Structures are given as structure tokens and as C-alpha cells.
Amino acid sequence: MKTALIIGASGQTGAYLSRLLLASGYSVTGTSRNWAESQTWRLNRLGVLEDVKQISLSLHDLLALEAALDSEAPEEIYYLAGPSSVAASFREPTTSMSEIFDPVVSLLEILKRRSSATHFVNAASTDCFGNHGNSLLDEQSPMKPVSPYGIAKTATYLTTQNYREAFGVNSRNAILTNHESPLRGPDFVTQKIISGLRAIHEGRQLTLSLGNTAIARDWLWADDVAQALHAIGSSSDSSDYVVASGTTSTLDAFTAIACDQFGLEAGEVITHEPGLNRPLEIESVRLNPAKVQQQHGWKPTVSFREIVERLVADEI
């Protein structure tokens, strides 16, 4: 039986990855700062809460991190923790950057000192790339982040790469694009759109105010992302991969599909509030997932339209 430590197991992607690894015969340990207060509803909804060994762990406590590695002896570590809101990182940059970066370098330093063979997977982000116009982006593209969140994620990416190249740590990056599911937190714009349109459909509100909906992203289903993470983490190849669909769609398109599913007209119910725009924004992104597809045979199973339709169906 293989052993895996998922740091951030109670989050959207961590919950799907927990279910996948358990189904694959792994022993899975998940960490949280305090499981007694953590939102474990995602693991519970997927039916795996009782099967994941839960340990409380402060990611800023180096001794506690070492003790966790001693007690669990994981063959694979998936780092999925830390703040994931770009908007919040503009409001609280110092907190966001510390919470995102510090635990990653601490874990890598522990693995380096121990000459550990453990596979370490860092969940980086396509927000690291920033704005590149219409260029097709892959693992060799320069990173020019435009938010504190993107800057911190870029630091984790480069540090993970550095510990692999300089010290031989078995570390690899999964550069993840936007991914959605019914387990997504309510503060993300996609969930705000779905829940807001439901409220309009049910007559509880008249309109939904959004910021810049012309932005374009590459969207994935979160369970597909979990499949990619497992492929990357279990591989003998220690490398970095862009995990994306290769298809770019606008938030306007997302909203239009969702409105259609609720029987609403976007032009009648969607308003735009400039105050909701970010100080700096990635206007559009085009991503090339050829490497992960060719080396691991991974491909997304849920299209952009199906993602929106599934979210609406679950909300209803």
C-alpha cells in the first residue's frame, strides 16, 4: 500500500485527490491547522471523510512538519494548501504571500536535509504567467505575475524547481489552471454567478453585479485536475507540467451558458460594477498542456460547457 500526505485535503482539489488515491489503494493522510474547526464537508460529500487519516498541523511549525513526515512516512506529498483567492491577496498581500510561500520552502528544506526520496508535488498556478497577449504558454514560458497571489505562487514554483536542480529533491510543479466543481468555495466568482442566478431564478433578487467579465480563462473540472496531480506525483519523472484543457473561454461565455440553463437573459440580469475589478488583471490566457498529455496520457474529460451545466444542475 502506497502512502500519501495531502496538505490541504479538506479543500476542493484535496478532497477529489483523496478520493482518487483511496480508490487506487493508497493510505491517505490529510492535514489541517485544526480539523475540529476545519470545513470537512467536501470530504464528507465525497464519502471519504472516515477513510482519510486526519492530523492537525501548523504549516509554520518546522518541528511539527518534521514530526508529521516521521509519523506518516509518505511516499508522495501533495501541497495544495494556502490561500487561493487572487482578490484577497490584493487586500492582504503580506498574509497571502507568507501563507502561500513559507510552508513550501520549509517542506523542501526538510526533504533536502533528509536526502528523502519522497515525491513532492507543488500546486503552482497559471496566474504565475501573467499577461502574454495571445501567446501560447507552456512550461518554458516566462512568468510575469500581476497579483500578490501570482507572485507568491511563482516563488513556490521557482523554489520547487531550485531544490530539484540544486539539491536533488524529488520535487515537481503542477501548474494548475482554473478548476471548478460543486465543492468550490462560495467566494469564487464562478460560484457567485451560479448562486446569484439561482436567486434571480427563484425571485429572491433582481440582478447580479459582476466586475470584468471579458476576461478569458482555461477552465477544468476539479476531478480531472486530481487525476493529473496523481499522474505527476506517482511518476518517476521529476518535472513540471502545465495542467489545462488548451481551450480558452470568457467569463461572459460562462455567464451566458449559466443564464441559459436557468432560463434567464444575461443582458437583463447581469450588471457591471467597476468597483469589483481588480487593480491588475490577467486579461486572457492560452495554455498548452501537450507535455502532461504526451508523457502521462492525461486529458480532461469534461468540456467547458459541461462544467457550467454541471454546476447549474448541482445548484438546482
Side-chain angles (χ1 to χ4, degrees):
M1 179 180 290
K2 283 190 173 183
T3 57
L5 177 65
I6 302 177
I7 300 175
S10 61
Q12 170 189 237
T13 313
Y16 280 112
L17 181 60
S18 295
R19 184 176 69 174
L20 172 62
L21 294 180
L22 288 165
S24 301
Y26 279 67
S27 171
V28 177
T29 298
T31 76
S32 175
R33 181 169 297 174
N34 188 341
W35 278 102
E37 299 176 359
S38 179
Q39 295 182 337
T40 57
W41 64 270
R42 296 178 179 90
L43 291 166
N44 191 49
R45 177 166 175 172
L46 295 182
V48 296
L49 179 59
E50 301 303 320
D51 298 315
V52 174
K53 180 180 178 182
Q54 303 165 16
I55 59 173
S56 296
L57 179 66
S58 169
L59 299 181
H60 294 274
D61 185 337
L62 193 60
L63 292 177
L65 286 172
E66 291 195 279
L69 296 191
D70 284 335
S71 64
E72 305 309 313
E75 295 167 74
E76 298 167 17
I77 298 175
Y78 296 88
Y79 187 82
L80 310 177
S84 53
S85 171
V86 176
S89 77
F90 280 108
R91 296 192 300 269
E92 300 177 348
T94 53
T95 299
S96 293
M97 295 178 80
S98 174
E99 292 291 325
I100 290 169
F101 175 72
D102 291 352
V104 172
V105 70
S106 294
L107 283 162
L108 289 168
E109 183 63 18
I110 292 170
L111 295 174
K112 181 197 81 172
R113 291 205 312 259
R114 297 179 172 204
S115 299
S116 173
T118 298
H119 294 189
F120 177 84
V121 182
N122 175 51
S125 169
T126 54
D127 273 67
C128 298
F129 291 124
N131 279 305
H132 286 268
N134 202 40
S135 299
L136 189 62
L137 306 175
D138 60 19
E139 296 80 9
Q140 304 305 315
S141 300
M143 294 185 170
K144 302 185 293 183
V146 299
S147 68
Y149 171 82
I151 293 167
K153 279 292 189 179
T154 301
T156 69
Y157 173 87
L158 294 173
T159 303
T160 298
Q161 199 174 67
N162 177 257
Y163 269 75
R164 178 176 72 237
E165 295 173 355
F167 306 116
V169 175
N170 204 332
S171 54
R172 60 281 306 265
N173 287 290
I175 311 170
L176 307 180
T177 192
N178 296 55
H179 43 291
E180 309 295 334
S181 78
L183 305 186
R184 191 60 139 152
D187 292 335
F188 288 85
V189 66
T190 47
Q191 288 291 29
K192 288 181 178 179
I193 290 170
I194 300 299
S195 60
L197 293 178
R198 178 186 177 185
I200 294 171
H201 176 71
E202 295 176 349
R204 292 183 281 114
Q205 68 185 57
L206 296 177
T207 60
L208 174 64
S209 293
L210 299 172
N212 181 8
T213 54
I215 61 169
R217 296 290 186 270
D218 183 315
W219 271 284
L220 288 174
W221 190 245
D223 202 10
D224 281 338
V225 170
Q227 297 281 347
L229 285 168
H230 181 215
I232 294 167
S234 60
S235 171
S236 59
D237 173 51
S238 189
S239 186
D240 306 320
Y241 298 90
V242 169
V243 178
S245 71
T247 301
T248 299
S249 305
T250 65
L251 193 59
D252 275 325
F254 183 103
T255 305
I257 295 170
C259 282
D260 183 63
Q261 293 295 298
F262 280 108
L264 301 170
E265 290 290 336
E268 297 176 0
V269 299
I270 302 298
T271 62
H272 293 86
E273 184 179 331
L276 296 175
N277 294 345
R278 295 169 182 167
L280 274 177
E281 182 65 271
I282 298 173
E283 297 302 327
S284 180
V285 63
R286 292 181 62 231
L287 301 167
N288 180 9
K291 182 179 177 181
V292 70
Q293 291 180 355
Q294 293 168 4
Q295 295 194 16
H296 295 301
W298 174 89
K299 286 187 177 181
T301 63
V302 185
S303 70
F304 172 69
R305 173 172 285 275
E306 288 173 322
I307 289 171
V308 184
E309 291 174 348
R310 287 187 182 193
L311 292 176
V312 173
D314 183 82
E315 181 73 15
I316 293 174

Short mmCIF file of all heavy atoms in Angstrom, two decimals, residues 201-263:
data_model
loop_
_atom_site.label_atom_id
_atom_site.label_comp_id
_atom_site.label_asym_id
_atom_site.label_seq_id
_atom_site.Cartn_x
_atom_site.Cartn_y
_atom_site.Cartn_z
N HIS A 201 -33.52 33.45 -10.44
CA HIS A 201 -34.48 32.48 -10.97
C HIS A 201 -35.62 32.23 -9.99
O HIS A 201 -36.78 32.05 -10.39
CB HIS A 201 -33.75 31.18 -11.29
CG HIS A 201 -34.63 30.07 -11.76
ND1 HIS A 201 -35.23 30.06 -13.00
CD2 HIS A 201 -35.02 28.92 -11.14
CE1 HIS A 201 -35.95 28.96 -13.13
NE2 HIS A 201 -35.84 28.25 -12.02
N GLU A 202 -35.30 32.24 -8.69
CA GLU A 202 -36.29 31.96 -7.66
C GLU A 202 -36.98 33.22 -7.16
O GLU A 202 -37.79 33.17 -6.23
CB GLU A 202 -35.63 31.22 -6.50
CG GLU A 202 -35.11 29.83 -6.90
CD GLU A 202 -34.37 29.13 -5.77
OE1 GLU A 202 -34.08 29.80 -4.75
OE2 GLU A 202 -34.08 27.93 -5.92
N GLY A 203 -36.63 34.39 -7.76
CA GLY A 203 -37.29 35.63 -7.40
C GLY A 203 -36.80 36.27 -6.12
O GLY A 203 -37.44 37.17 -5.58
N ARG A 204 -35.60 35.86 -5.64
CA ARG A 204 -35.07 36.41 -4.40
C ARG A 204 -34.22 37.65 -4.63
O ARG A 204 -33.88 38.35 -3.69
CB ARG A 204 -34.29 35.34 -3.64
CG ARG A 204 -35.16 34.21 -3.11
CD ARG A 204 -34.37 33.19 -2.30
NE ARG A 204 -33.64 32.27 -3.16
CZ ARG A 204 -32.32 32.19 -3.22
NH1 ARG A 204 -31.57 33.02 -2.52
NH2 ARG A 204 -31.73 31.31 -4.02
N GLN A 205 -33.80 37.88 -5.86
CA GLN A 205 -33.12 39.12 -6.22
C GLN A 205 -33.36 39.40 -7.69
O GLN A 205 -33.82 38.52 -8.44
CB GLN A 205 -31.61 39.05 -5.90
CG GLN A 205 -30.81 38.09 -6.75
CD GLN A 205 -29.35 37.99 -6.28
OE1 GLN A 205 -29.09 37.65 -5.12
NE2 GLN A 205 -28.43 38.29 -7.17
N LEU A 206 -33.06 40.64 -8.11
CA LEU A 206 -33.39 41.05 -9.47
C LEU A 206 -32.21 40.98 -10.44
O LEU A 206 -32.37 40.63 -11.60
CB LEU A 206 -33.96 42.48 -9.46
CG LEU A 206 -35.29 42.66 -8.72
CD1 LEU A 206 -35.68 44.13 -8.72
CD2 LEU A 206 -36.37 41.81 -9.35
N THR A 207 -31.03 41.37 -9.96
CA THR A 207 -29.86 41.40 -10.83
C THR A 207 -28.63 40.85 -10.11
O THR A 207 -28.64 40.68 -8.88
CB THR A 207 -29.55 42.84 -11.30
OG1 THR A 207 -29.30 43.66 -10.15
CG2 THR A 207 -30.71 43.41 -12.11
N LEU A 208 -27.58 40.61 -10.87
CA LEU A 208 -26.31 40.14 -10.33
C LEU A 208 -25.21 41.08 -10.81
O LEU A 208 -25.03 41.26 -12.01
CB LEU A 208 -26.02 38.71 -10.81
CG LEU A 208 -24.66 38.12 -10.45
CD1 LEU A 208 -24.51 37.98 -8.94
CD2 LEU A 208 -24.47 36.77 -11.14
N SER A 209 -24.48 41.69 -9.88
CA SER A 209 -23.41 42.62 -10.21
C SER A 209 -22.07 41.88 -10.29
O SER A 209 -21.71 41.17 -9.36
CB SER A 209 -23.32 43.74 -9.16
OG SER A 209 -24.46 44.56 -9.22
N LEU A 210 -21.37 42.07 -11.39
CA LEU A 210 -20.07 41.45 -11.59
C LEU A 210 -19.05 42.51 -12.00
O LEU A 210 -19.41 43.61 -12.40
CB LEU A 210 -20.16 40.38 -12.68
CG LEU A 210 -21.11 39.21 -12.41
CD1 LEU A 210 -21.23 38.33 -13.65
CD2 LEU A 210 -20.64 38.38 -11.22
N GLY A 211 -17.77 42.15 -11.92
CA GLY A 211 -16.70 43.04 -12.36
C GLY A 211 -16.44 42.84 -13.84
O GLY A 211 -17.35 42.82 -14.66
N ASN A 212 -15.18 42.64 -14.19
CA ASN A 212 -14.78 42.47 -15.59
C ASN A 212 -15.09 41.05 -16.06
O ASN A 212 -14.43 40.09 -15.66
CB ASN A 212 -13.29 42.76 -15.71
CG ASN A 212 -12.79 42.63 -17.13
OD1 ASN A 212 -13.56 42.45 -18.07
ND2 ASN A 212 -11.48 42.71 -17.30
N THR A 213 -16.10 40.92 -16.92
CA THR A 213 -16.48 39.59 -17.41
C THR A 213 -15.91 39.31 -18.80
O THR A 213 -16.19 38.26 -19.39
CB THR A 213 -18.01 39.45 -17.46
OG1 THR A 213 -18.56 40.52 -18.24
CG2 THR A 213 -18.60 39.47 -16.06
N ALA A 214 -15.09 40.23 -19.31
CA ALA A 214 -14.45 40.00 -20.61
C ALA A 214 -13.19 39.15 -20.47
O ALA A 214 -12.62 38.70 -21.47
CB ALA A 214 -14.10 41.33 -21.27
N ILE A 215 -12.73 38.91 -19.24
CA ILE A 215 -11.52 38.11 -19.03
C ILE A 215 -11.73 36.70 -19.58
O ILE A 215 -12.84 36.17 -19.59
CB ILE A 215 -11.13 38.05 -17.55
CG1 ILE A 215 -12.24 37.41 -16.71
CG2 ILE A 215 -10.76 39.41 -17.02
CD1 ILE A 215 -11.84 37.08 -15.30
N ALA A 216 -10.65 36.11 -20.05
CA ALA A 216 -10.71 34.77 -20.64
C ALA A 216 -9.77 33.83 -19.89
O ALA A 216 -8.63 34.19 -19.59
CB ALA A 216 -10.36 34.82 -22.12
N ARG A 217 -10.28 32.64 -19.60
CA ARG A 217 -9.51 31.65 -18.84
C ARG A 217 -9.65 30.27 -19.48
O ARG A 217 -10.50 30.03 -20.31
CB ARG A 217 -10.00 31.58 -17.39
CG ARG A 217 -9.81 32.86 -16.58
CD ARG A 217 -8.35 33.11 -16.28
NE ARG A 217 -8.17 34.26 -15.40
CZ ARG A 217 -8.01 35.51 -15.82
NH1 ARG A 217 -8.01 35.77 -17.11
NH2 ARG A 217 -7.84 36.49 -14.95
N ASP A 218 -8.81 29.37 -19.02
CA ASP A 218 -8.87 27.96 -19.39
C ASP A 218 -9.42 27.22 -18.16
O ASP A 218 -8.78 27.20 -17.12
CB ASP A 218 -7.45 27.48 -19.74
CG ASP A 218 -7.41 26.04 -20.22
OD1 ASP A 218 -8.05 25.18 -19.60
OD2 ASP A 218 -6.71 25.76 -21.21
N TRP A 219 -10.63 26.64 -18.31
CA TRP A 219 -11.28 26.01 -17.16
C TRP A 219 -11.22 24.49 -17.23
O TRP A 219 -11.37 23.90 -18.31
CB TRP A 219 -12.74 26.45 -17.08
CG TRP A 219 -12.99 27.69 -16.30
CD1 TRP A 219 -12.99 27.82 -14.93
CD2 TRP A 219 -13.28 28.99 -16.81
NE1 TRP A 219 -13.27 29.12 -14.58
CE2 TRP A 219 -13.44 29.87 -15.70
CE3 TRP A 219 -13.41 29.52 -18.10
CZ2 TRP A 219 -13.73 31.22 -15.84
CZ3 TRP A 219 -13.69 30.87 -18.25
CH2 TRP A 219 -13.86 31.71 -17.13
N LEU A 220 -11.04 23.86 -16.06
CA LEU A 220 -11.05 22.41 -15.92
C LEU A 220 -12.05 22.00 -14.83
O LEU A 220 -12.42 22.80 -13.97
CB LEU A 220 -9.67 21.88 -15.54
CG LEU A 220 -8.57 21.88 -16.59
CD1 LEU A 220 -7.25 21.45 -15.96
CD2 LEU A 220 -8.92 20.95 -17.75
N TRP A 221 -12.44 20.74 -14.87
CA TRP A 221 -13.21 20.12 -13.80
C TRP A 221 -12.24 19.65 -12.74
O TRP A 221 -11.19 19.08 -13.05
CB TRP A 221 -14.02 18.95 -14.37
CG TRP A 221 -15.03 18.35 -13.45
CD1 TRP A 221 -15.03 17.10 -12.93
CD2 TRP A 221 -16.22 18.99 -12.97
NE1 TRP A 221 -16.15 16.90 -12.15
CE2 TRP A 221 -16.90 18.03 -12.16
CE3 TRP A 221 -16.79 20.25 -13.15
CZ2 TRP A 221 -18.11 18.32 -11.51
CZ3 TRP A 221 -17.98 20.54 -12.51
CH2 TRP A 221 -18.64 19.59 -11.71
N ALA A 222 -12.54 19.89 -11.46
CA ALA A 222 -11.57 19.62 -10.38
C ALA A 222 -11.17 18.16 -10.29
O ALA A 222 -10.03 17.84 -9.94
CB ALA A 222 -12.14 20.10 -9.05
N ASP A 223 -12.08 17.25 -10.60
CA ASP A 223 -11.73 15.83 -10.54
C ASP A 223 -10.71 15.48 -11.62
O ASP A 223 -9.85 14.61 -11.42
CB ASP A 223 -13.00 14.98 -10.70
CG ASP A 223 -12.83 13.58 -10.13
OD1 ASP A 223 -11.81 13.32 -9.45
OD2 ASP A 223 -13.71 12.73 -10.35
N ASP A 224 -10.78 16.15 -12.78
CA ASP A 224 -9.76 15.95 -13.81
C ASP A 224 -8.40 16.43 -13.33
O ASP A 224 -7.36 15.83 -13.62
CB ASP A 224 -10.16 16.70 -15.09
CG ASP A 224 -11.21 15.96 -15.90
OD1 ASP A 224 -11.35 14.74 -15.73
OD2 ASP A 224 -11.91 16.62 -16.70
N VAL A 225 -8.39 17.54 -12.58
CA VAL A 225 -7.14 18.05 -12.02
C VAL A 225 -6.53 17.04 -11.04
O VAL A 225 -5.32 16.82 -11.02
CB VAL A 225 -7.37 19.41 -11.34
CG1 VAL A 225 -6.13 19.84 -10.54
CG2 VAL A 225 -7.72 20.47 -12.37
N ALA A 226 -7.39 16.41 -10.22
CA ALA A 226 -6.90 15.39 -9.29
C ALA A 226 -6.23 14.25 -10.04
O ALA A 226 -5.19 13.74 -9.62
CB ALA A 226 -8.06 14.87 -8.44
N GLN A 227 -6.81 13.85 -11.17
CA GLN A 227 -6.21 12.79 -11.99
C GLN A 227 -4.82 13.20 -12.47
O GLN A 227 -3.88 12.39 -12.45
CB GLN A 227 -7.12 12.49 -13.19
CG GLN A 227 -8.51 11.96 -12.85
CD GLN A 227 -8.52 10.50 -12.49
OE1 GLN A 227 -7.54 9.78 -12.72
NE2 GLN A 227 -9.63 10.04 -11.95
N ALA A 228 -4.68 14.45 -12.90
CA ALA A 228 -3.38 14.94 -13.37
C ALA A 228 -2.37 14.99 -12.23
O ALA A 228 -1.21 14.60 -12.40
CB ALA A 228 -3.54 16.32 -13.99
N LEU A 229 -2.80 15.45 -11.07
CA LEU A 229 -1.90 15.51 -9.91
C LEU A 229 -1.36 14.12 -9.56
O LEU A 229 -0.17 13.95 -9.27
CB LEU A 229 -2.63 16.11 -8.72
CG LEU A 229 -2.85 17.62 -8.74
CD1 LEU A 229 -3.83 18.04 -7.66
CD2 LEU A 229 -1.53 18.37 -8.57
N HIS A 230 -2.24 13.14 -9.57
CA HIS A 230 -1.81 11.78 -9.25
C HIS A 230 -0.81 11.26 -10.27
O HIS A 230 0.20 10.64 -9.92
CB HIS A 230 -3.03 10.84 -9.19
CG HIS A 230 -2.68 9.43 -8.85
ND1 HIS A 230 -3.34 8.35 -9.39
CD2 HIS A 230 -1.72 8.91 -8.04
CE1 HIS A 230 -2.81 7.24 -8.91
NE2 HIS A 230 -1.83 7.55 -8.10
N ALA A 231 -1.07 11.54 -11.56
CA ALA A 231 -0.14 11.11 -12.60
C ALA A 231 1.24 11.75 -12.40
O ALA A 231 2.27 11.09 -12.54
CB ALA A 231 -0.70 11.46 -13.98
N ILE A 232 1.24 13.02 -12.07
CA ILE A 232 2.50 13.74 -11.86
C ILE A 232 3.20 13.26 -10.60
O ILE A 232 4.42 13.05 -10.58
CB ILE A 232 2.24 15.26 -11.80
CG1 ILE A 232 1.74 15.77 -13.16
CG2 ILE A 232 3.48 16.02 -11.36
CD1 ILE A 232 1.16 17.16 -13.13
N GLY A 233 2.44 13.09 -9.52
CA GLY A 233 3.02 12.71 -8.24
C GLY A 233 3.53 11.29 -8.18
O GLY A 233 4.50 11.00 -7.47
N SER A 234 2.91 10.38 -8.90
CA SER A 234 3.31 8.97 -8.85
C SER A 234 4.37 8.62 -9.89
O SER A 234 4.93 7.53 -9.86
CB SER A 234 2.07 8.08 -9.06
OG SER A 234 1.47 8.34 -10.32
N SER A 235 4.66 9.55 -10.79
CA SER A 235 5.62 9.30 -11.85
C SER A 235 7.06 9.30 -11.33
O SER A 235 7.40 10.00 -10.37
CB SER A 235 5.48 10.37 -12.94
OG SER A 235 6.53 10.27 -13.88
N SER A 236 7.90 8.52 -11.98
CA SER A 236 9.33 8.54 -11.65
C SER A 236 10.01 9.76 -12.23
O SER A 236 11.15 10.08 -11.86
CB SER A 236 10.00 7.27 -12.18
OG SER A 236 9.84 7.18 -13.59
N ASP A 237 9.33 10.45 -13.13
CA ASP A 237 9.88 11.64 -13.78
C ASP A 237 9.61 12.88 -12.92
O ASP A 237 8.48 13.25 -12.69
CB ASP A 237 9.24 11.83 -15.16
CG ASP A 237 9.67 13.14 -15.80
OD1 ASP A 237 10.87 13.40 -15.85
OD2 ASP A 237 8.78 13.89 -16.24
N SER A 238 10.67 13.49 -12.44
CA SER A 238 10.54 14.70 -11.63
C SER A 238 10.66 15.90 -12.54
O SER A 238 11.74 16.30 -12.95
CB SER A 238 11.64 14.72 -10.56
OG SER A 238 11.42 15.76 -9.64
N SER A 239 9.51 16.49 -12.89
CA SER A 239 9.48 17.57 -13.86
C SER A 239 8.29 18.47 -13.57
O SER A 239 7.57 18.27 -12.60
CB SER A 239 9.40 16.98 -15.28
OG SER A 239 9.51 17.99 -16.25
N ASP A 240 8.09 19.48 -14.40
CA ASP A 240 7.00 20.45 -14.22
C ASP A 240 6.02 20.36 -15.39
O ASP A 240 6.43 20.12 -16.53
CB ASP A 240 7.55 21.87 -14.13
CG ASP A 240 8.62 22.00 -13.05
OD1 ASP A 240 8.46 21.41 -11.98
OD2 ASP A 240 9.63 22.69 -13.30
N TYR A 241 4.74 20.56 -15.08
CA TYR A 241 3.71 20.37 -16.09
C TYR A 241 2.63 21.44 -16.01
O TYR A 241 2.14 21.75 -14.91
CB TYR A 241 3.03 19.00 -15.92
CG TYR A 241 3.96 17.83 -16.07
CD1 TYR A 241 4.64 17.31 -14.97
CD2 TYR A 241 4.16 17.23 -17.32
CE1 TYR A 241 5.50 16.23 -15.11
CE2 TYR A 241 5.02 16.15 -17.46
CZ TYR A 241 5.68 15.65 -16.36
OH TYR A 241 6.52 14.58 -16.50
N VAL A 242 2.22 21.96 -17.15
CA VAL A 242 1.03 22.79 -17.24
C VAL A 242 -0.18 21.87 -17.32
O VAL A 242 -0.24 20.99 -18.18
CB VAL A 242 1.07 23.70 -18.50
CG1 VAL A 242 -0.29 24.35 -18.73
CG2 VAL A 242 2.16 24.75 -18.35
N VAL A 243 -1.11 22.05 -16.40
CA VAL A 243 -2.33 21.24 -16.36
C VAL A 243 -3.49 22.13 -16.79
O VAL A 243 -3.93 23.01 -16.04
CB VAL A 243 -2.58 20.65 -14.97
CG1 VAL A 243 -3.88 19.84 -14.95
CG2 VAL A 243 -1.39 19.78 -14.54
N ALA A 244 -3.97 21.92 -18.00
CA ALA A 244 -5.00 22.78 -18.58
C ALA A 244 -5.73 22.02 -19.67
O ALA A 244 -5.35 20.90 -20.04
CB ALA A 244 -4.38 24.06 -19.15
N SER A 245 -6.79 22.62 -20.21
CA SER A 245 -7.55 21.98 -21.28
C SER A 245 -7.03 22.35 -22.66
O SER A 245 -7.24 21.63 -23.63
CB SER A 245 -9.02 22.37 -21.18
OG SER A 245 -9.22 23.72 -21.56
N GLY A 246 -6.38 23.52 -22.76
CA GLY A 246 -5.96 24.03 -24.06
C GLY A 246 -7.03 24.85 -24.76
O GLY A 246 -6.85 25.29 -25.88
N THR A 247 -8.15 25.06 -24.07
CA THR A 247 -9.27 25.84 -24.62
C THR A 247 -9.52 27.07 -23.75
O THR A 247 -9.60 26.95 -22.52
CB THR A 247 -10.56 25.00 -24.69
OG1 THR A 247 -10.32 23.86 -25.50
CG2 THR A 247 -11.71 25.81 -25.25
N THR A 248 -9.61 28.22 -24.37
CA THR A 248 -9.83 29.47 -23.64
C THR A 248 -11.26 29.95 -23.85
O THR A 248 -11.75 29.98 -24.98
CB THR A 248 -8.84 30.55 -24.10
OG1 THR A 248 -7.50 30.09 -23.85
CG2 THR A 248 -9.06 31.86 -23.36
N SER A 249 -11.91 30.34 -22.76
CA SER A 249 -13.28 30.84 -22.81
C SER A 249 -13.40 32.05 -21.90
O SER A 249 -12.68 32.18 -20.91
CB SER A 249 -14.28 29.76 -22.36
OG SER A 249 -14.13 28.57 -23.10
N THR A 250 -14.33 32.95 -22.23
CA THR A 250 -14.50 34.16 -21.42
C THR A 250 -15.48 33.93 -20.27
O THR A 250 -16.30 33.01 -20.31
CB THR A 250 -15.04 35.33 -22.28
OG1 THR A 250 -16.35 34.99 -22.74
CG2 THR A 250 -14.12 35.61 -23.46
N LEU A 251 -15.37 34.80 -19.28
CA LEU A 251 -16.34 34.76 -18.19
C LEU A 251 -17.73 35.15 -18.69
O LEU A 251 -18.74 34.69 -18.16
CB LEU A 251 -15.90 35.68 -17.05
CG LEU A 251 -16.64 35.54 -15.72
CD1 LEU A 251 -16.50 34.13 -15.17
CD2 LEU A 251 -16.11 36.54 -14.69
N ASP A 252 -17.77 35.97 -19.73
CA ASP A 252 -19.05 36.28 -20.38
C ASP A 252 -19.70 35.01 -20.91
O ASP A 252 -20.91 34.82 -20.78
CB ASP A 252 -18.84 37.27 -21.53
CG ASP A 252 -18.84 38.72 -21.07
OD1 ASP A 252 -19.59 39.04 -20.14
OD2 ASP A 252 -18.08 39.52 -21.65
N ALA A 253 -18.90 34.14 -21.53
CA ALA A 253 -19.44 32.89 -22.06
C ALA A 253 -19.93 32.00 -20.94
O ALA A 253 -20.98 31.34 -21.05
CB ALA A 253 -18.37 32.17 -22.89
N PHE A 254 -19.17 31.94 -19.85
CA PHE A 254 -19.58 31.17 -18.66
C PHE A 254 -20.94 31.66 -18.18
O PHE A 254 -21.86 30.86 -17.94
CB PHE A 254 -18.53 31.34 -17.56
CG PHE A 254 -18.79 30.53 -16.32
CD1 PHE A 254 -18.08 29.37 -16.07
CD2 PHE A 254 -19.73 30.94 -15.38
CE1 PHE A 254 -18.32 28.62 -14.91
CE2 PHE A 254 -19.98 30.21 -14.23
CZ PHE A 254 -19.28 29.05 -14.00
N THR A 255 -21.08 32.98 -18.07
CA THR A 255 -22.31 33.57 -17.58
C THR A 255 -23.47 33.31 -18.53
O THR A 255 -24.59 33.01 -18.09
CB THR A 255 -22.12 35.08 -17.37
OG1 THR A 255 -20.99 35.30 -16.51
CG2 THR A 255 -23.36 35.71 -16.74
N ALA A 256 -23.22 33.40 -19.83
CA ALA A 256 -24.28 33.19 -20.82
C ALA A 256 -24.81 31.76 -20.76
O ALA A 256 -26.03 31.54 -20.82
CB ALA A 256 -23.75 33.50 -22.21
N ILE A 257 -23.92 30.79 -20.64
CA ILE A 257 -24.35 29.39 -20.55
C ILE A 257 -25.16 29.17 -19.28
O ILE A 257 -26.21 28.52 -19.28
CB ILE A 257 -23.14 28.44 -20.59
CG1 ILE A 257 -22.43 28.54 -21.94
CG2 ILE A 257 -23.57 27.00 -20.33
CD1 ILE A 257 -21.09 27.82 -21.99
N ALA A 258 -24.67 29.72 -18.17
CA ALA A 258 -25.38 29.57 -16.90
C ALA A 258 -26.76 30.22 -16.95
O ALA A 258 -27.75 29.64 -16.48
CB ALA A 258 -24.55 30.16 -15.76
N CYS A 259 -26.84 31.41 -17.54
CA CYS A 259 -28.14 32.09 -17.67
C CYS A 259 -29.10 31.24 -18.49
O CYS A 259 -30.28 31.09 -18.14
CB CYS A 259 -27.96 33.45 -18.34
SG CYS A 259 -27.34 34.75 -17.24
N ASP A 260 -28.60 30.68 -19.58
CA ASP A 260 -29.44 29.85 -20.43
C ASP A 260 -29.98 28.65 -19.67
O ASP A 260 -31.15 28.27 -19.83
CB ASP A 260 -28.64 29.39 -21.65
CG ASP A 260 -29.48 28.58 -22.63
OD1 ASP A 260 -30.45 29.14 -23.18
OD2 ASP A 260 -29.17 27.39 -22.82
N GLN A 261 -29.15 28.06 -18.82
CA GLN A 261 -29.59 26.90 -18.04
C GLN A 261 -30.69 27.27 -17.04
O GLN A 261 -31.55 26.45 -16.73
CB GLN A 261 -28.39 26.30 -17.29
CG GLN A 261 -27.34 25.67 -18.18
CD GLN A 261 -27.85 24.46 -18.93
OE1 GLN A 261 -28.24 23.47 -18.32
NE2 GLN A 261 -27.89 24.55 -20.25
N PHE A 262 -30.66 28.49 -16.56
CA PHE A 262 -31.69 28.96 -15.62
C PHE A 262 -32.88 29.60 -16.34
O PHE A 262 -33.83 30.05 -15.71
CB PHE A 262 -31.10 29.98 -14.65
CG PHE A 262 -30.33 29.37 -13.51
CD1 PHE A 262 -28.95 29.47 -13.45
CD2 PHE A 262 -31.00 28.72 -12.47
CE1 PHE A 262 -28.23 28.92 -12.39
CE2 PHE A 262 -30.29 28.16 -11.42
CZ PHE A 262 -28.91 28.27 -11.37
N GLY A 263 -32.83 29.67 -17.68
CA GLY A 263 -33.90 30.30 -18.43
C GLY A 263 -33.91 31.81 -18.30
O GLY A 263 -34.97 32.44 -18.36
#
